[in-house]
Amino acid sequence: AEHVLVVGGGPGGVELSAEIRLARPDARVTLAHSGSALLDSTGSERPGRKAHAWLESHDVEVRLDSFMSPGNEFGTYRDARGTVIEADLSFWATGTTPNTLWIRLAGHGDWLNRTGHVKVDRTLRVEGKLDVFAVGDVNDVTELKITPAALAQADIAAHNIRAHLQGSGRHRKEPRSYRPTRRTPLIVPFGPADGLTVVPVPGGESAVLGSRTTTMAKAKTLMTPYMRRQLGYTAA
């Protein structure tokens, strides 16, 4: 691909654009974002400014206020102002769409909300069902669906499933409620040796840490060793 288009200026789109630029220094890379600033979900302007500066300094074209849709011809894309972009390859980093059509087709449309997410209660149990739980991107818990949230939901769901299976007897466990993750560090690598980390600060604007912290936390290994330890996976 001579021209790669990334649509979406959140953490995924910024990280992907940087990875593509470093992997393909000969290609043209464009990042189109519908908002007025990158990383605007962080609630702070500093991360977006830093990401924007890095991308432009590495010859990534950043187009803000640019809501994209596929064009009329293959390989063309059009923004809300009618501007047409031609690209050989596109990546859409505009959020997740839950793969729950099969649930509706199976006759359980009442499990889903209007966006197709599975409705769950505070124990991550599907509303109205005693023995069905839903975790991760598929459920309707309102939080940024990133790694810390995934780990926290999995921990609560595992406990509550065990509690359900041991519903009676002396060793009965009480179910736990899940508290959505509102303020968690957000790590956005710019390739394996650079990036930024947004750390929430109680009562103030989030702190933005630089490449050293980001590299140690995620950029260098994409957190693979950490996740292997979390899952108890020790084989070579």
Side-chain angles (χ1 to χ4, degrees), residues 199-217:
V199 181
V201 177
E205 187 175 357
S206 298
V208 181
L209 308 181
S211 59
R212 180 179 177 84
T213 300
T214 306
T215 299
M216 293 176 61

Side-chain angles (χ1 to χ4, degrees), residues 51-158:
H52 197 148
W54 189 97
L55 291 169
E56 288 200 329
S57 71
H58 288 76
D59 296 323
V60 174
E61 179 186 2
V62 179
R63 300 171 64 95
L64 300 176
D65 297 311
S66 187
F67 185 89
M68 302 299 300
S69 61
N72 296 326
E73 298 181 12
F74 181 76
T76 64
Y77 307 87
R78 184 185 300 271
D79 67 17
R81 292 183 290 271
T83 304
V84 175
I85 297 177
E86 295 184 5
D88 305 299
L89 185 63
S90 64
F91 294 92
W92 295 77
T94 55
T96 59
T97 300
N99 184 15
T100 53
L101 178 60
W102 64 275
I103 295 178
R104 193 179 300 280
L105 295 176
H108 301 301
D110 59 319
W111 293 13
L112 309 176
N113 65 13
R114 60 181 179 80
T115 61
H117 291 84
V118 179
K119 296 180 288 187
V120 295
D121 62 17
R122 293 193 302 172
T123 67
L124 302 181
R125 193 190 312 259
V126 176
E127 289 187 358
K129 301 295 174 183
L130 292 176
D131 57 352
V132 184
F133 294 79
V135 298
D137 292 351
V138 76
N139 69 28
D140 68 344
V141 176
T142 54
E143 64 184 352
L144 191 61
K145 300 298 182 85
I146 56 178
T147 300
L151 294 172
Q153 284 200 25
D155 183 60
I156 292 295

Side-chain angles (χ1 to χ4, degrees), residues 173-192:
K173 296 179 180 291
E174 291 296 326
R176 295 176 184 168
S177 294
Y178 179 70
R179 304 177 104 187
T181 304
R182 302 299 184 195
R183 299 174 67 84
T184 184
L186 179 65
I187 307 172
V188 186
F190 308 152

